[in-house]
Amino acid sequence: MNSLLVALITIVAYLLAYRFYARFIGDRILSLDPARRTPAHEREDGVDFVPTRPIILFGHHFASIAGLGPILGPAIAVIWGWLPAALWILFGSIFIGGVHDLSALAVSLRNGGRSIGDVTRSLVGRRAHLLFLVIIFFTLSLCMGTFVRIIAQLFTESGASYSHPESVIPVAALILLAVIVGLLVYRFRARLAPATIVALIAMFASIWLGIRVPVGGIAESTWVWILIAYAFAASVLPVWLLLQPRDYLNAYQLVVGMVLMYAGLFIARPEFTAPALNAADTGAPPIFPFLFITVACGAISGFHSLVATGTTAKQIDRETHALPIGYGGMLAEGLLAMVVVIACTAGISREAWSGHYASWSAAAGLGPKMEAFVVGAGAFVSRIGIPVGIAESFIVVMAVGFAMTTLDSGTRLLRYNLEELGEGLGIAFLRNRFAASFAAVVGVGYFSLMTVDGRPVGLALWELFGTTNQMLGALGLLAVSLVLFRRGKPIRYTAVPMAAMMVIAMAAMIIKLRQNLASRSWPLLIVGGMLLALILWLIVESVVAFLRSREAGKRTP
C-alpha cells in the first residue's frame, strides 16, 4: 500500500474533525465565550498570567506538549505493524486526545487558570486533590528526569548512532534568540513579524553552524548538571522572557520540519516496506493494551492536560482561542506522530526495518528508535533537494528541540504542582517560586542522576511513565466529566473516552505488575504498586463525589 494515501486520509480527516467535531464540543458542550474575561486578564501579573497572541501561544502549547513522546512512541509502536499505530493515532487524537486537551483547557479557564489537579479539590475534595498532586509530581519528575538524561546522551560525542553533538549550537542559539525576542516584543514593543523573521533566519543559520562545528568533549554527567540548571532558570523566569518566545520560535522549526517531511513524502510516494500487521514473534507484549500505551502522546497524553491547565490557560486572551490551541495542538501532534509512523515503515528499506524491529528489546532502545526515525524522515526531506546529511541533522535538531521545550514547561509545571502541594499541606516555603523550583529540580535531578544497578533511576522506571501518563489522561477526562455533569451538560463525549482509557491503563498496569513480580523486579513492583493504589484511591473518591452530586442534584449553570 502507498503511504501517501495514509497521509492524505489523515490530513482530510483532521480538517473535517476540526471543522465539525471540535466546534461542536467547543460550542455546544463547553460553551466557549469570546466575551468572557480569561484568567490571563483577571490575574495578570507579568510572570505567569500574561495575555498572549494566539499564534504565539499555539507555538508555546504545541512545542510543550510535543516533546519526544510523539516521536519515540510511534517509532516503537510500529513493531506491531504500521496499521494499528496509524489507526490509533487517527481516531484516538480526534475523539479522545483532542477532546481531552480542549476540555481540560476550557475547565481551567472557568476556574481561574487553576491546574487540573487543583480543580479536583473543588470537585472531589482535599484528600483527592492531594492524591492527584502526588501522582502528578511523580509522573512529571520521572518524565523530566528521563528527558534530561536522553538530551545529555544526544549532546554527548560518544560515537553511538544516537549521539548528535551538532545539535548543541542550534539549541543554545534558540535559547539566546528567545530571550532577545522576548525583550524586543514585550519590553521595547518591537513588531512581532520583523523580530520573528530575523530570529528564524538566525535559528536556521545556527543549524548549519552546528553541523560545521559540533560541540564534543563534554561528558554526559556535565550535560545533566547544565540541563538541570537551565530547567531551574526556565521555571523562575517570567514566562514572556524565555518559555513563551522559545516555544514560539521552536514551533516554527517544528512546523517547518513537518512541512518538509510531508513535502518529501508527497514527492517520494513510497510504498510501505513494513507489514500492515506484524505477526512475527518479536517478544513484544500483547498488542492490547500496550499499543495504546506505547503510542502515548500521538493519540492522548495526560501530560497535555498538565500543560493546558498549568501554563496555557494562564496566557489565553479569549476563551475561543482554546479551540485552535487545545484541539488544534493535538491534531498537529497527531500529524507529527503519523509522519513518524510512515518514516519508520516506508522511509527505510525492508531490511533496515527488520533489523530495527527484529525484537522488542532491540526496538526498545533509544538508538534504534531515533535512528529509524532520523533515517526515514531524512530520506523524505532529501527528496526536495536537501543533502541527506543536512536533512538528517535538521531532523535531529528538531527532535532535541522537542525535548528541550518539554523540559522547560515540565519543570515549570512541577513548580506549580509543588506550590499547590505547599498550599494544601500548609508548607509555607513551597509557595515561593524559587523554593518550589529548587524542589522541582531536585526531583528531576533524582531521576536523572541516581542509578540502580548501573542504570539511571528514570530509565529504569520509564516503563511506568507510559501507563501512568495514560491514566492521568483518564483522570483528566474524569474531572472534566464531573464539571460537565454539575453544569447539566452531556458527559458522554468525555466519559466514554475516559472509561476506555481507564480500562487500557489499568490493564497495562496490572500486566506489568505481574511481570515485575515474576521477574522479582522489586523497585518497579513497589513503585508501580504504590501508584496503582493511589490511582484506585483517587478513582474511588471521584466515584463517591459523583454519586453525592447526583443524589443532591448539584447542577450549576
Side-chain angles (χ1 to χ4, degrees):
M1 181 176 178
N2 195 284
S3 60
L4 179 59
L5 180 59
V6 174
L8 289 173
I9 291 173
T10 303
I11 292 170
V12 172
Y14 280 176
L15 290 174
L16 292 174
Y18 183 83
R19 174 63 181 84
F20 296 104
Y21 193 63
R23 289 186 181 278
F24 168 76
I25 297 294
D27 296 341
R28 301 290 185 87
I29 307 301
L30 301 174
S31 302
L32 298 175
D33 182 2
R36 190 183 183 106
R37 280 174 60 83
T38 62
H41 290 282
E42 292 178 339
R43 303 177 61 183
E44 185 173 0
D45 60 6
V47 177
D48 297 317
F49 291 85
V50 180
T52 305
R53 304 178 205 187
I55 187 172
I56 296 178
L57 189 53
F58 177 87
H60 157 72
H61 181 79
F62 173 50
S64 297
I65 65 172
L68 282 175
I71 295 176
L72 299 183
I76 192 171
V78 296
I79 195 170
W80 289 290
W82 63 264
L83 184 59
L87 288 175
W88 173 232
I89 291 167
L90 179 62
F91 292 105
S93 55
I94 290 174
F95 295 107
I96 302 182
V99 174
H100 167 269
D101 294 11
L102 173 60
S103 58
L105 182 53
V107 165
S108 181
L109 289 172
R110 293 293 175 89
N111 286 271
R114 294 156 62 196
S115 72
I116 194 70
D118 200 20
V119 170
T120 306
R121 178 172 52 186
S122 58
L123 292 172
V124 187
R126 181 175 178 271
R127 186 167 53 234
H129 170 236
L130 293 176
L131 286 172
F132 209 154
L133 292 180
V134 170
I135 295 169
I136 291 172
F137 178 79
F138 170 82
T139 305
L140 282 177
S141 297
L142 171 59
C143 182
M144 295 307 106
T146 306
F147 272 26
V148 163
R149 201 77 193 201
I150 290 174
I151 297 170
Q153 289 177 358
L154 289 169
F155 280 171
T156 305
E157 190 175 29
S158 63
S161 61
Y162 53 85
S163 173
H164 295 279
E166 70 271 18
S167 62
V168 173
I169 287 179
V171 169
L174 184 58
I175 295 171
L176 177 61
L177 289 169
V179 173
I180 293 172
V181 170
L183 289 171
L184 287 175
V185 173
Y186 285 98
R187 280 293 177 262
F188 298 100
R189 303 301 176 185
R191 292 175 58 195
L192 178 62
T196 300
I197 292 171
V198 173
L200 290 177
I201 293 173
M203 180 177 69
F204 286 109
S206 71
I207 296 175
W208 174 84
L209 181 61
I211 295 171
R212 297 292 299 271
V213 189
V215 179
I218 300 178
E220 181 179 323
S221 58
T222 303
W223 277 123
V224 168
W225 283 107
I226 292 173
L227 291 167
I228 289 174
Y230 168 74
F232 176 83
S235 176
V236 299
L237 288 174
V239 69
W240 57 265
L241 182 59
L242 176 59
L243 191 68
Q244 190 187 91
R246 173 180 154 67
D247 291 352
Y248 166 67
L249 293 175
N250 197 62
Y252 277 100
Q253 185 184 92
L254 308 183
V255 170
V256 167
M258 289 172 61
V259 169
L260 293 177
M261 285 186 283
Y262 272 99
L265 169 62
F266 274 61
I267 294 172
R269 301 187 298 277
E271 298 289 330
F272 283 107
T273 55
L277 186 63
N278 184 25
D281 183 12
T282 60
I287 191 170
F288 179 87
F290 288 99
L291 167 73
F292 307 94
I293 298 300
T294 304
V295 170
C297 308
I300 177 176
S301 168
F303 178 73
H304 292 190
S305 67
L306 305 184
V307 174
T309 65
T311 60
T312 306
K314 296 175 174 62
Q315 302 172 64
I316 283 195
D317 187 39
R318 294 184 181 180
E319 277 195 356
T320 47
H321 293 168
L323 191 65
I325 292 169
Y327 199 94
M330 181 64 244
L331 294 187
E333 186 160 1
L335 283 173
L336 172 63
M338 190 63 77
V339 80
V340 171
V341 168
I342 295 173
C344 294
T345 56
I348 60 178
S349 67
R350 180 61 182 261
E351 292 75 20
W353 188 89
S354 299
H356 283 301
Y357 299 100
S359 68
W360 179 256
S361 59
L366 173 64
K369 283 187 284 188
M370 285 297 296
E371 186 179 359
F373 168 64
V374 169
V375 171
F380 289 161
V381 175
S382 69
R383 293 303 297 266
I384 63 174
I386 298 175
V388 173
I390 295 177
E392 291 185 356
S393 294
F394 173 74
I395 295 299
V396 169
V397 171
M398 184 187 74
V400 175
F402 277 137
M404 286 293 289
T405 53
T406 305
L407 178 61
D408 295 351
S409 299
T411 309
R412 199 176 191 94
L413 292 172
L414 262 177
R415 191 251 288 181
Y416 294 154
N417 177 268
L418 286 167
E419 287 175 350
E420 290 178 19
L421 268 174
E423 182 179 350
L425 297 174
I427 304 175
F429 79 90
L430 282 180
R431 300 175 196 171
N432 178 278
R433 80 173 191 266
F434 292 96
S437 296
F438 179 78
V441 297
V442 168
V444 173
Y446 172 79
F447 285 106
S448 57
L449 290 168
M450 298 298 292
T451 58
V452 174
D453 296 329
R455 296 182 66 200
V457 171
L459 293 177
L461 296 176
W462 180 248
E463 64 184 52
L464 292 174
F465 171 74
T467 52
T468 308
N469 183 41
Q470 299 304 75
M471 183 58 76
L472 273 179
L475 294 174
L477 287 166
L478 175 61
V480 170
S481 299
L482 285 170
V483 170
L484 293 176
F485 176 77
R486 292 188 176 186
R487 290 181 184 172
K489 296 285 188 177
I491 65 170
R492 58 182 175 274
Y493 304 100
T494 55
V496 172
M498 176 269 295
M501 294 312 304
M502 204 161 279
V503 169
I504 289 169
M506 198 68 71
M509 279 189 165
I510 292 172
I511 291 172
K512 293 306 296 184
L513 286 175
R514 291 177 61 184
Q515 291 176 350
N516 293 332
L517 178 62
S519 62
R520 299 180 181 273
S521 301
W522 303 119
L524 290 173
L525 181 65
I526 293 171
V527 176
M530 292 173 61
L531 275 174
L532 180 59
L534 289 174
I535 289 168
L536 289 173
W537 188 359
L538 181 55
I539 291 172
V540 169
E541 294 274 357
S542 300
V543 171
V544 170
F546 175 80
L547 294 175
R548 286 175 179 169
S549 296
R550 186 177 181 181
E551 292 172 1
K554 292 182 179 179
R555 294 175 177 262
T556 59

